[in-house]
Amino acid sequence: MPPLLRFRKLSFSEDTVNPTAKQQTTTEKPKRRRAGRCSCVDSCCWAIGYLCTAWWLLLFLYHSVPVPAMLQARESPGTRLSRDGVKALHPMILVPGIVTGGLELWEGRPCAEGLFRKRLWGASFTEILRRPLCWLEHLSLDSETGLDPPGIRVRAVPGLVAADYFVPCYFAWAVLIENLAKIGYEGKNLHMASYDWRLSFHNTEVRDQSLSRLKSKIELMYATNGYKKVVVVPHSMGAIYFLHFLKWVETPLPDGGGGGGPGWCAKHVKAIVNIGPAFLGVPKAVSNLLSAEGKDIAYARSLAPGLLDSELLKLQTLEHLMRMSHSWDSIFSLLPKGGEAIWGNLDSHTKEGHSCIDSKRKLSQSNLHRQNDGIRPESWVKEPAKYGRIIAFGKRASEVPSSQLNTLNTKELSRGDDSLNDSTSCGEFWSEYSEISRESIVKVAENTAYTATTVLDLLRFIAPKMMKRAEAHFSHGIAEDLDDPKYGHYKYWSNPLETKLPDALEMEMYCLYGVGIPTERSYIYKLTTPSSKCKSSIPFRIDGSVDGDDDIYLKGGTRFVDGDESVPVISAGFMCAKGWRGKTRFNPSGMETFVREYKHKPPGSLLESRGTESGSHVDIMGNVGLIEDVLRIASGASGQEIGGDRVYSNVMKMSERVSIKL
Amino acid sequence: MPLIHRKKPQTPPSEEVVAPDEDSQKKPPHESSSSSKTHKKSNGGGKWSCVDSCCWFIGCVCVTWWFLLFLYNAMPASFPQYVTERITGPLPDPPGVKLKKEGLKAQHPVVFIPGIVTGGLELWEGKQCADGLFRKRLWGGTFGEVYKRPLCWVEHMSLDNETGLDPDGIRVRAVSGLVAADYFAPGYFVWAVLIANLAHIGYEEKNMYMAAYDWRLSFQNTEVRDQTLSRMKSNIELMVSTNGGKKAVIVPHSMGVLYFLHFMKWVEEPAPMGGGGGPDWCAKYIKAVMNIGGPFLGVPKAVSGLFSAEAKDVAVARAIAPGFLDTDIFRLQTLQHIMRMTRTWDSTMSMLPKGGDTIWGGLDWSPEKGHTCCGKKQKRNETCGEAGENGVSKIKPANYGRMISFGKEIAEAAPSEINNIDFRGAVKGQSFPNHTCRDVWTEYHDMGIAGIKAIAEYKVYTADAVIDLLHYVAPKMMARGSAHFSYGIADDLDDPKYKDPKYWSNPLETKLPNAPEMEIYSLYGVGIPTERAYVYKLNQSPDSCIPFQIFTSAHEEDEDSCLKAGVYNVDGDETVPVLSAGYMCAKAWRGKTRFNPSGIKTYVREYNHSPPANLLEGRGTQSGAHVDIMGNFALIEDIMRVAAGGNGSEIGHDQVYSGIYEWSDRIDLKL
């Protein structure tokens, strides 16, 4: 820190001069006047100087003091296992999820000058603040093709740096990598399969050949590490990306696959250790697509209404975010899959037995058991929450029996064409909302509720172009007959309910995820009053004012269930707990599956920062229990050896209730 | 991140605000506890204590600093360029932009192979002292750790001196990806300019690949430890297949050139030793090899580096401040530690001069005979730079063949006057010349005074003798090294012994692959004095552990002399003499020769060095220096044209400024 030193030195030299000056000021009156005149500026400088000095002093102390005992972290799992003789055996492939991977600029518009090979996504995000519109333009994809807009190339950062830290000090994979290194992993047997997470899975191959690279990398690592099969660790969306890969790699070349042949997975993959997998999608994706908001934004809005909607600096934050995220195909891979069979219909409440774990109301723990025994707890006097209604307009619509709801036939609604009213101030802003007439919007929203199946119809209605693009790449149904040749199409490959797992008896499938955190499951929406200036602003929003009076599962317009803050238990656990367990039609070879849950324990103090026993979606990557499991699997242990299933939630019960043909 | 630290105080946590206030109250006790600020206002400047003034001053400086920083950040990005253009006139378009306008498009995948030193290395497992450096760069980046914990750093950067692999408990690995060598240190580009220009015509991560390897290891060990060669093979195959079967263009730099020679041999060799790619692998996957500043035949610098851990730069520094480097500052004994470290790196031995006296010259001749060096001030002199045959030059031609000579007189004497006393049989004394050096491992203390004397009495060493000399002064190191590298010339290339990997990186002991459509380019800078031979002396200093050092006071009075500070210079790119970089492509591989049985086309392209006109240009766009040439626009343009599908005759065949052809003809080698 050369400038720091310079400041110090100068200030010392000032010291020696000063005493004389002080004497003069005390004796001579004119000098006093001068001092009085600029005293305001002086005081400011003085204050800043004080703060800086104090800061440096503390910083210096902080650096010079050896790591204090209280901060001495517990021994990391890597060190402990390495002492127990656990050694690197199987090469590891890490597959990052959505959002956590860095993206960098390779070719841009003039406004992005000087950002060549700098991160646009990840790291410090400084460019958002400096040139927000430019940033949005570069991160958006072409709304027709879902590929690069002309003249812009933004690419995934390769290598481990792609997703070790999302932003400085906010680890994603770093802790896991460090622990793997302790038992002997390094560049040659540890690979981060980063990909451009904005693209649809098939397009990552079309544009970047990401799948081909991954295949070649796995083959190489298999060969150079003494023909040991690889262990794959996908996280979040990476889990469905890797499902897509499994299918792609065994599909012959002429059908658009990787041409690995039917035995490829059996030969190269030992285990797939999914962390917080979003196999059946997340309800969050719905609210994100519908109104570019989630729990957090709804909460912020209820605190400071109007702030986000006002045209602050003409940015129209949410609208811009929406436009950007609507151009990303990958979000559609996260829409709830399996429709009403999985997520419940208008009347069903598959999770009625579920109790939300609120740290302040540990009592509800006991409620859970009572409820399961058929006794209704007092807090449950009303209709049980209807989680099946993923989107409901108004609290009433979320609770009344289905017979009282309006049924909506989207086909009879006209997409209004009253562009006359279109205010020009919003003209440059692309969102398909501007094409829908107000009446249709009202009709859509009037006392209606949408289930996982009908929500797709809703999206098709309000954003037809977007859904058309997306549905060429993703499918959200359940297959009747998996041998139907239509399932050879790549759009089915990432849906676990429409593909078979590869024929690899010895492969193991793990679902590791956190539980014990309220996770968004369904939303209560309201219509916004259209702003006079800009019609195209988002017409729906989460009704942040709806709170369950004594219903702790409903807060700020959002109903919660158990999960890891992003992925509900049913989505993360169902496939491993039931859909793939044993020989089913989705798992024809009968490979073993394991469900391992990690109970969320918030960090004990601020010093622990994000905790070593966290169960939340990203922080779980620092969970010592999970890391230990991953390390053991990497060093050759099987699922039985690490303890088989470990379940805290009622995922098994919930899965029982889901009736799909297996 | 001093920037952030200084910015934070603007919104400090409340406790910190309180702390200094309390301090201030203690120091000036007459101030009331309410608010010191208001007091000052009312009392005028009268109560400003010394501490206050300090703080005031610091505050002022900080505020100005932030203000300037803010201005700097708010400044449009094109501002510096605008200033430069106003001062120096319009800049030429970078080649990327220019060629994009011509309609060039990315065609062939490009593979970069960095050289020695430029690639980053990061820590994967370390000793206690390197806590918290996991996956941080030890080599490259800011080199911050060198200052913070120098001994720890040296320990981690060293390899095992027996095996040439990792020491126990330490794993330092090459950084992978383009970041490995785009910038060596912040702001000091290596590959970055080339990458940026290639990106203009459509290159990106999927068709560009940096084959980073641990440059400290011997070439075969990179495969043994990290499987680097296998990865490179697999990556090239992948890129060729995903880019529609277009063959790769390989761009090695410096030692990467030798590494790639090794690779080409390795990949076609059958499995246990080689990569098992079959005899036509190179023909199938490689379009062109564009060697930048390739030390095909080694560099004399490596000799002085290994012999006494110094080079021209160190010698110059020593001439300026004698004694400084040898003193025991902080007990660091800088040079000795560097020497110990570099001697554990096998790769430095790949750069020792190859081909012996046949290539580098004997006692009384050298290929560059008659070369004259120009002082910088005499650029206008027209005779300058031309061969001495014109008879204009009065300067004594330097005897470049004498790579190391003890004393200036010896370096200039006629061959008959030198009577060598053979050092090879000299008994190594048991007495340590210096006891304090025992903790620094250099093998010099094994040699004893007698051995050192014997070396100095041999007086003159040619390229062949230099290898023997190193064998004598550092037997362990050379034993390790000679298992991996060879420096001779093959008599019969079909001899089965040449299947040993140690010959693969020596162009004089291997054949090029059978790939008649491939092209080999030698691109290098000329016009910079480059080390070629040294004048040494015995080191009399008692507290130095290295008994030899470059005789820095050996000068010629004449400005034009090639002898400067104990070093004889020839034409080159500051590191690699022209002979080493150009000979193979200019002669030994030209046409169908025994080294090039399939008659691969070769091209020599030299780039005349012209230093940057002013400071604003940074390292210049027409530089010919070993690393700076990577920013040379002409070179970048050549590479891009080839990458976009051009071939050697389209970019203009040979381009020669130096006397490389003449010098090559003087070398008497069976082809």
Side-chain angles (χ1 to χ4, degrees):
Chain A
M1 277 194 264
L4 189 152
L5 292 177
R6 206 181 59 220
F7 294 160
R8 286 241 164 113
K9 257 184 221 154
L10 285 169
S11 67
F12 286 136
S13 60
E14 187 77 354
D15 266 1
T16 54
V17 184
N18 235 309
T20 50
K22 202 176 95 190
Q23 282 169 1
Q24 280 172 356
T25 47
T26 43
T27 48
E28 289 175 44
K29 278 187 182 174
K31 281 269 162 82
R32 271 176 83 184
R33 227 187 105 245
R34 192 224 57 162
R37 194 182 60 222
C38 46
S39 64
C40 178
V41 179
D42 281 350
S43 307
C44 285
C45 290
W46 171 85
I48 291 168
Y50 250 153
L51 296 179
C52 287
T53 323
W55 179 259
W56 290 333
L57 202 73
L58 289 174
L59 212 70
F60 175 75
L61 283 178
Y62 174 77
H63 278 298
S64 58
V65 169
V67 186
M70 59 176 180
L71 278 175
Q72 205 78 61
R74 277 181 308 164
E75 200 178 27
S76 66
T79 321
R80 196 176 69 243
L81 291 177
S82 145
R83 206 165 352 90
D84 294 350
V86 170
K87 279 267 160 305
L89 189 68
H90 296 278
M92 299 280 283
I93 305 277
L94 313 176
V95 187
I98 197 167
V99 173
T100 44
L103 300 173
E104 60 188 14
L105 183 76
W106 277 85
E107 184 182 337
R109 300 272 157 82
C111 70
E113 206 182 279
L115 294 181
F116 176 68
R117 285 184 60 223
K118 297 270 185 309
R119 281 198 186 196
L120 289 186
W121 188 271
S124 54
F125 283 104
T126 42
E127 296 310 321
I128 300 187
L129 302 174
R130 288 174 68 181
R131 25 195 157 175
L133 287 179
C134 181
W135 183 82
L136 281 169
E137 184 186 354
H138 282 83
L139 273 179
S140 301
L141 294 170
D142 190 284
S143 62
E144 297 289 324
T145 61
L147 292 168
D148 290 323
I152 291 177
R153 281 185 293 151
V154 173
R155 296 289 180 266
V157 176
L160 290 175
V161 283
D164 53 351
Y165 288 92
F166 176 49
V167 292
C169 297
Y170 188 86
F171 70 81
W173 292 90
V175 179
L176 184 59
I177 292 171
E178 191 164 354
N179 281 294
L180 284 169
K182 293 236 169 73
I183 63 167
Y185 280 93
E186 58 193 51
K188 69 174 172 185
N189 45 14
L190 183 63
H191 172 67
M192 176 84 74
S194 61
Y195 55 98
D196 189 335
W197 46 263
R198 301 170 305 158
L199 299 184
S200 77
F201 303 156
H202 181 66
N203 276 342
T204 61
E205 171 66 14
V206 170
R207 198 192 70 180
D208 300 336
Q209 284 89 42
S210 300
L211 298 172
S212 299
R213 285 151 163 267
L214 181 54
K215 171 169 176 258
S216 140
K217 199 80 201 181
I218 291 178
E219 285 167 352
L220 171 70
M221 285 167 78
Y222 174 70
T224 54
N225 286 285
Y227 300 99
K228 294 271 182 301
K229 297 183 198 175
V230 298
V231 170
V232 184
V233 186
H235 174 238
S236 183
M237 189 178 83
I240 41 183
Y241 185 69
F242 199 73
L243 266 188
H244 184 94
F245 172 81
L246 287 179
K247 197 75 191 167
W248 172 86
V249 75
E250 297 202 338
T251 306
L253 281 170
D255 301 343
W264 195 92
C265 298
K267 187 180 165 200
H268 291 100
V269 183
K270 168 188 148 62
I272 301 174
V273 187
N274 301 293
I275 301 178
F279 281 126
L280 301 179
V282 287
K284 224 178 193 176
V286 176
S287 68
N288 190 297
L289 285 172
L290 206 55
S291 63
E293 58 191 351
K295 180 182 63 170
D296 323 321
I297 288 179
Y299 187 66
R301 183 173 277 147
S302 68
L303 285 182
L307 177 77
L308 280 167
D309 309 307
S310 61
E311 273 188 61
L312 221 52
L313 308 169
K314 290 200 73 69
L315 289 185
Q316 296 169 305
T317 326
L318 281 185
E319 280 79 2
H320 278 295
L321 274 181
M322 185 160 181
R323 181 171 66 154
M324 183 171 76
S325 60
H326 276 195
S327 72
W328 296 344
D329 283 339
S330 61
I331 296 209
F332 301 92
S333 74
L334 293 172
L335 284 178
K337 287 168 193 159
E340 296 178 1
I342 300 285
W343 297 93
N345 57 31
L346 284 177
D347 285 323
S348 74
H349 17 84
T350 44
K351 308 228 180 144
E352 85 184 88
H354 162 72
S355 165
C356 212
I357 292 129
D358 192 350
S359 53
K360 285 174 191 161
R361 296 183 66 167
K362 283 267 157 68
L363 275 177
S364 54
Q365 285 281 28
S366 53
N367 287 353
L368 171 65
H369 302 300
R370 270 190 287 156
Q371 173 114 26
N372 291 340
D373 297 336
I375 309 157
R376 296 226 148 150
E378 279 104 304
S379 69
W380 206 270
V381 282
K382 285 192 203 162
E383 278 287 301
K386 293 200 166 57
Y387 288 112
R389 302 175 182 176
I390 285 187
I391 299 288
F393 283 93
K395 193 181 176 196
R396 198 181 145 264
S398 76
E399 285 164 353
V400 296
S402 59
S403 51
Q404 294 174 29
L405 286 171
N406 289 353
T407 49
L408 176 80
N409 186 359
T410 47
K411 279 164 198 100
E412 67 193 35
L413 286 170
S414 62
R415 296 183 56 79
D417 197 31
D418 46 356
S419 49
L420 287 172
N421 308 0
D422 224 337
S423 128
T424 44
S425 71
C426 314
E428 80 269 349
F429 162 71
W430 178 84
S431 130
E432 296 185 48
Y433 279 124
S434 53
E435 295 166 21
I436 311 174
S437 67
R438 182 77 193 165
E439 297 76 57
S440 311
I441 288 172
V442 171
K443 217 177 230 173
V444 159
E446 213 171 336
N447 194 27
T448 48
Y450 297 88
T451 65
T453 312
T454 50
V455 107
L456 292 176
D457 296 331
L458 175 67
L459 286 172
R460 267 179 220 127
F461 168 66
I462 61 170
K465 279 189 220 151
M466 172 182 87
M467 285 305 279
K468 199 170 154 234
R469 200 182 71 224
E471 296 201 318
H473 287 288
F474 297 106
S475 164
H476 303 97
I478 300 181
E480 286 299 321
D481 174 16
L482 279 166
D483 293 320
D484 193 326
K486 78 166 183 175
Y487 290 114
H489 192 271
Y490 57 77
K491 76 175 183 178
Y492 299 105
W493 293 348
S494 61
N495 183 350
L497 299 172
E498 290 179 311
T499 41
K500 290 189 245 182
L501 286 182
D503 184 21
L505 180 61
E506 287 172 23
M507 207 166 104
E508 291 171 311
M509 197 66 149
Y510 295 82
C511 289
L512 317 180
Y513 54 89
V515 292
I517 308 181
T519 306
E520 294 155 69
R521 175 66 166 78
S522 60
Y523 301 92
I524 295 174
Y525 266 76
K526 67 172 181 192
L527 275 177
T528 53
T529 43
S531 88
S532 53
K533 271 172 76 187
C534 190
K535 198 177 80 66
S536 67
S537 62
I538 304 168
F540 312 114
R541 69 159 69 142
I542 295 174
D543 191 352
S545 61
V546 174
D547 273 314
D549 312 317
D550 38 25
D551 186 357
I552 52 163
Y553 324 116
L554 179 59
K555 205 180 269 168
T558 314
R559 283 185 201 277
F560 296 96
V561 290
D562 198 3
D564 69 356
E565 206 167 10
S566 290
V567 185
V569 167
I570 186 84
S571 173
F574 175 75
M575 289 316 290
C576 285
K578 188 163 175 220
W580 286 332
R581 182 134 295 181
K583 257 200 167 97
T584 68
R585 62 190 183 111
F586 302 113
N587 179 10
S589 67
M591 65 173 76
E592 278 190 281
T593 61
F594 300 93
V595 177
R596 290 186 69 80
E597 298 185 341
Y598 302 88
K599 200 155 199 162
H600 177 68
K601 208 185 268 179
S605 65
L606 270 180
L607 283 175
E608 278 182 40
S609 68
R610 291 159 69 200
T612 53
E613 288 171 88
S614 174
S616 76
H617 193 59
V618 176
D619 294 358
I620 198 173
M621 314 266 271
N623 184 309
V624 284
L626 178 134
I627 289 174
E628 191 177 326
D629 286 349
V630 173
L631 294 193
R632 284 192 189 280
I633 295 166
S635 63
S638 70
Q640 298 304 338
E641 280 161 1
I642 62 166
D645 286 352
R646 192 173 84 165
V647 176
Y648 297 101
S649 72
N650 48 2
V651 61
M652 295 298 182
K653 248 193 196 87
M654 284 192 293
S655 306
E656 279 312 305
R657 279 197 220 112
V658 173
S659 61
I660 57 171
K661 193 180 82 183
L662 289 178
Chain B
M1 280 190 282
L3 188 149
I4 288 172
H5 290 163
R6 248 175 283 118
K7 274 202 170 162
K8 272 194 182 152
Q10 279 177 319
T11 54
S14 56
E15 38 185 278
E16 279 158 37
V17 187
V18 176
D21 270 6
E22 282 168 358
D23 276 356
S24 69
Q25 283 151 18
K26 274 175 217 154
K27 272 161 201 162
H30 48 271
E31 278 186 6
S32 82
S33 62
S34 59
S35 163
S36 45
K37 261 186 231 170
T38 51
H39 254 262
K40 240 164 279 118
K41 262 181 206 163
S42 56
N43 291 2
K47 301 288 185 201
W48 280 65
S49 73
C50 161
V51 178
D52 285 341
S53 305
C54 282
C55 291
W56 172 85
F57 183 74
I58 291 170
C60 276
V61 174
C62 284
V63 171
T64 341
W65 179 257
W66 289 334
F67 183 67
L68 289 174
L69 215 66
F70 173 76
L71 281 185
Y72 177 76
N73 279 321
M75 177 177 79
S78 54
F79 187 67
Q81 198 192 344
Y82 173 75
V83 171
T84 318
E85 278 185 11
R86 285 310 293 270
I87 295 174
T88 60
L91 293 174
D93 262 352
V97 177
K98 181 177 146 199
L99 295 181
K100 193 184 180 186
K101 280 181 198 150
E102 284 182 27
L104 260 64
K105 281 263 168 306
Q107 286 276 331
H108 298 273
V110 176
V111 177
F112 306 117
I113 302 176
I116 198 168
V117 173
T118 45
L121 299 173
E122 59 187 14
L123 184 75
W124 277 82
E125 184 183 340
K127 297 268 162 75
Q128 202 78 47
C129 66
D131 240 16
L133 294 182
F134 176 67
R135 285 187 55 225
K136 298 268 186 311
R137 283 198 182 194
L138 289 185
W139 188 269
T142 55
F143 283 99
E145 298 310 318
V146 182
Y147 303 106
K148 278 186 176 165
R149 21 194 160 179
L151 287 180
C152 183
W153 183 83
V154 166
E155 186 187 352
H156 282 82
M157 286 299 299
S158 301
L159 294 168
D160 190 286
N161 63 40
E162 298 285 325
T163 61
L165 293 169
D166 289 325
D168 281 340
I170 292 176
R171 283 186 291 150
V172 173
R173 294 290 179 267
V175 177
S176 62
L178 291 178
V179 283
D182 54 350
Y183 289 93
F184 175 53
Y188 188 86
F189 71 82
V190 181
W191 294 90
V193 179
L194 182 57
I195 292 172
N197 280 298
L198 282 170
H200 274 295
I201 61 166
Y203 279 93
E204 56 192 67
E205 205 81 46
K206 70 174 174 191
N207 42 17
M208 264 196 288
Y209 166 61
M210 178 78 74
Y213 56 100
D214 188 336
W215 46 262
R216 301 169 305 159
L217 300 183
S218 75
F219 301 155
Q220 194 64 12
N221 273 344
T222 62
E223 171 66 12
V224 170
R225 198 192 71 181
D226 300 334
Q227 286 89 42
T228 315
L229 297 172
S230 300
R231 288 148 163 263
M232 202 153 111
K233 171 168 175 262
S234 145
N235 261 309
I236 292 176
E237 287 169 358
L238 171 70
M239 290 205 308
V240 170
S241 74
T242 55
N243 283 287
K246 300 218 173 64
K247 297 183 201 172
V249 171
I250 317 287
V251 187
H253 173 234
S254 186
M255 191 178 80
V257 167
L258 302 176
Y259 191 66
F260 195 72
L261 271 185
H262 187 93
F263 173 81
M264 285 198 288
K265 201 73 191 169
W266 172 87
V267 76
E268 300 201 338
E269 206 67 15
M273 262 319 195
D280 57 348
W281 195 93
C282 293
K284 241 161 68 190
Y285 290 102
I286 300 173
K287 170 185 153 65
V289 184
M290 309 199 73
N291 302 295
I292 304 178
F296 283 108
L297 303 176
V299 286
K301 221 177 191 174
V303 174
S304 66
L306 287 171
F307 190 54
S308 64
E310 58 191 350
K312 190 172 64 173
D313 324 324
V314 173
V316 169
R318 184 173 274 145
I320 293 168
F324 178 71
L325 281 166
D326 306 311
T327 51
D328 251 333
I329 324 166
F330 307 123
R331 296 198 58 77
L332 289 185
Q333 297 166 306
T334 325
L335 279 185
Q336 284 82 348
H337 279 293
I338 291 176
M339 185 160 189
R340 179 169 69 153
M341 184 170 78
T342 52
R343 279 192 175 185
T344 66
W345 296 345
D346 285 343
S347 60
T348 48
M349 285 176 270
S350 72
M351 312 260 273
L352 287 177
K354 287 165 191 162
D357 293 1
T358 318
I359 302 288
W360 296 93
L363 285 178
D364 53 350
W365 77 281
S366 68
E368 293 105 327
K369 199 166 164 185
H371 173 76
T372 49
C373 305
C374 319
K376 273 183 195 160
K377 290 169 198 160
Q378 288 168 324
K379 274 247 167 87
R380 282 154 285 135
N381 187 344
E382 279 158 27
T383 59
C384 186
E386 287 171 30
E389 290 155 348
N390 297 354
V392 188
S393 180
K394 296 159 283 179
I395 307 148
K396 283 175 282 181
N399 290 315
Y400 291 119
R402 303 171 187 182
M403 211 162 267
I404 287 185
S405 32
F406 279 89
K408 188 181 158 198
E409 296 74 28
I410 304 294
E412 286 163 358
S416 54
E417 293 165 26
I418 303 166
N419 49 344
N420 287 329
I421 300 160
D422 204 356
F423 64 94
R424 291 172 182 91
V427 191
K428 293 189 179 181
Q430 288 304 305
S431 61
F432 294 157
N434 190 334
H435 285 268
T436 57
C437 298
R438 258 177 298 176
D439 51 334
V440 180
W441 177 83
T442 58
E443 297 193 51
Y444 273 125
H445 60 255
D446 289 344
M447 216 154 57
I449 293 159
I452 292 169
K453 275 233 174 74
I455 287 166
E457 276 164 10
Y458 187 69
K459 307 290 187 203
V460 169
Y461 297 84
T462 59
D464 274 336
V466 152
I467 306 292
D468 292 334
L469 169 69
L470 287 171
H471 269 293
Y472 182 77
V473 299
K476 281 188 217 155
M477 173 188 85
M478 287 305 283
R480 212 179 62 228
S482 55
H484 290 290
F485 300 106
S486 166
Y487 313 104
I489 299 177
D491 283 325
D492 174 16
L493 280 164
D494 294 321
D495 193 325
K497 80 167 182 176
Y498 290 115
K499 293 233 178 269
D500 192 306
K502 77 173 183 177
Y503 298 106
W504 293 347
S505 61
N506 183 350
L508 299 173
E509 289 178 312
T510 43
K511 288 189 243 181
L512 287 179
N514 183 22
E517 285 172 23
M518 208 168 104
E519 293 175 318
I520 294 185
Y521 296 81
S522 211
L523 319 172
Y524 54 91
V526 291
I528 308 181
T530 306
E531 294 157 69
R532 176 68 167 80
Y534 300 92
V535 180
Y536 264 86
K537 66 169 183 185
L538 271 179
N539 187 359
Q540 309 297 343
S541 159
D543 50 349
S544 171
C545 303
I546 302 173
F548 310 103
Q549 67 183 37
I550 294 174
F551 187 38
T552 48
S553 49
H555 282 292
E556 287 286 341
E557 290 79 36
D558 196 328
E559 268 283 318
D560 274 356
S561 166
C562 292
L563 178 63
K564 284 224 178 67
V567 180
Y568 282 100
N569 295 311
V570 289
D571 200 2
D573 69 358
E574 204 166 13
T575 302
V576 183
V578 166
L579 190 68
S580 176
Y583 174 70
M584 291 314 290
C585 282
K587 183 145 183 242
W589 282 338
R590 185 126 301 178
K592 261 197 168 98
T593 68
R594 66 192 182 107
F595 300 110
N596 179 9
S598 64
I600 295 171
K601 287 206 186 71
T602 62
Y603 300 96
V604 177
R605 296 194 57 86
E606 297 184 345
Y607 302 90
N608 217 348
H609 176 70
S610 68
N614 54 40
L615 272 179
L616 282 171
E617 277 185 32
R619 290 156 68 198
T621 56
Q622 292 172 288
S623 174
H626 193 57
V627 176
D628 293 356
I629 199 173
M630 312 276 279
N632 186 310
F633 280 2
L635 175 129
I636 291 174
E637 192 179 323
D638 286 350
I639 292 177
M640 289 175 71
R641 284 190 188 282
V642 173
N647 61 35
S649 47
E650 282 166 25
I651 64 168
H653 292 286
D654 290 352
Q655 169 182 304
V656 173
Y657 300 101
S658 72
I660 178 69
Y661 287 135
E662 193 187 321
W663 298 340
S664 301
D665 283 339
R666 289 209 194 110
I667 293 172
D668 174 30
L669 179 70
K670 190 180 87 182
L671 292 175

